[in-house]
Amino acid sequence: KQEVTQIPAALSVPEGENLVLNCSFTDSAIYNLQWFRQDPGKGLTSLLLIQSSQREQTSGRLNASLDKSSGRSTLYIAASQPGDSATYLCAVRRAAGNKLTFGGGTRVLVKP
Amino acid sequence: GAVVSQHPSRVICKSGTSVKIECRSLDFQATTMFWYRQFPKKSLMLMATSNEGSKATYEQGVEKDKFLINHASLTLSTLTVTSAHPEDSSFYICSAYVPQDRGNTEAFFGQGTRLTVV
């Protein structure tokens, strides 16, 4: 059974500092991995999608890496801003049409 | 990205009544949609997989008769919470995948529905 873990559960940084969020999964046989952002009381916003054959994806200040063999993904957010404060969730999928297995999330607070 | 719309965003209902939540894929067809429940400060828990034109597949421990799912078209799935009780109060979120022919089967989520049963 796939298990996804996100450490730390919460993170507080001053504005401008780079954020590093970790995601680990127990079964390396994944189809893809997705990072999401969730604001309080809202749905999930897709940030980055990494296919199993890819090593990283970038979008603006966000960069996500994937090391499938070691079961790890890292989300980097450069030059953090107060607006980056949210919960970040990673999720993996075993096959194209399968369900997502989520980590517990990392709550991020960026202090002005 | 693709758009998944969920309605209503908030609903308050009396104990014993039923509530219907709609999930629509606005710019793509989704043969499969997923319904999640989220407790405060917790991650998402998959409740069921909604399949267009066939019965939904429920996760272990989820009551089929309490959480009725209908996926009558390629753009609409509904979740009906029947005979709601206060313990059903929660945040419900739906999701759908963009089909493979449009790219990498990225999952998109609705805005969520906050259900409060009084």
Side-chain angles (χ1 to χ4, degrees), chain A:
Chain A
K1 179 186 175 185
Q2 179 72 273
E3 292 183 3
V4 182
T5 304
Q6 290 185 248
I7 295 173
L11 186 59
S12 179
V13 299
E15 182 178 2
E17 194 166 297
N18 296 333
L19 286 163
V20 181
L21 308 179
N22 299 300
C23 173
S24 61
F25 45 95
T26 54
D27 186 348
S28 62
I30 64 169
Y31 177 74
N32 61 27
L33 182 146
Q34 213 167 334
W35 281 94
F36 297 92
R37 169 187 173 137
Q38 185 177 30
D39 292 290
K42 305 293 184 183
L44 275 65
T45 300
S46 178
L47 297 174
L48 289 167
L49 169 73
I50 310 178
Q51 293 295 97
S52 61
S53 58
Q54 297 175 322
R55 299 281 294 179
E56 67 175 348
Q57 277 288 343
T58 299
S59 176
R61 293 185 295 114
L62 276 60
N63 175 277
S65 65
L66 174 64
D67 184 343
K68 206 172 68 164
S69 60
S70 66
R72 294 181 182 177
S73 177
T74 302
L75 177 66
Y76 301 90
I77 303 177
S80 62
Q81 303 168 358
D84 294 329
S85 299
T87 296
Y88 292 83
L89 294 147
C90 71
V92 298
R93 189 183 321 164
R94 183 174 179 80
N98 279 21
K99 64 183 181 182
L100 288 168
T101 301
F102 279 89
T106 296
R107 290 194 312 280
V108 171
L109 175 63
V110 180
K111 298 180 179 178

Side-chain angles (χ1 to χ4, degrees), chain B residues 13-64:
Chain B
C13 71
K14 291 185 178 180
S15 188
T17 62
S18 295
V19 173
K20 180 185 285 188
I21 302 170
E22 293 187 346
C23 180
R24 294 180 185 273
S25 56
L26 297 187
D27 54 354
F28 65 98
Q29 294 183 332
T31 56
T32 303
M33 291 186 177
F34 300 85
W35 287 97
Y36 295 84
R37 181 172 180 175
Q38 188 177 31
F39 293 98
K41 296 187 177 181
K42 298 291 184 183
S43 191
L44 280 71
M45 180 191 78
L46 180 67
M47 298 174 65
T49 302
S50 170
N51 303 298
E52 188 269 335
S54 64
K55 291 183 179 180
T57 304
Y58 289 82
E59 295 297 300
Q60 191 173 10
V62 177
E63 298 177 61
K64 300 178 183 181

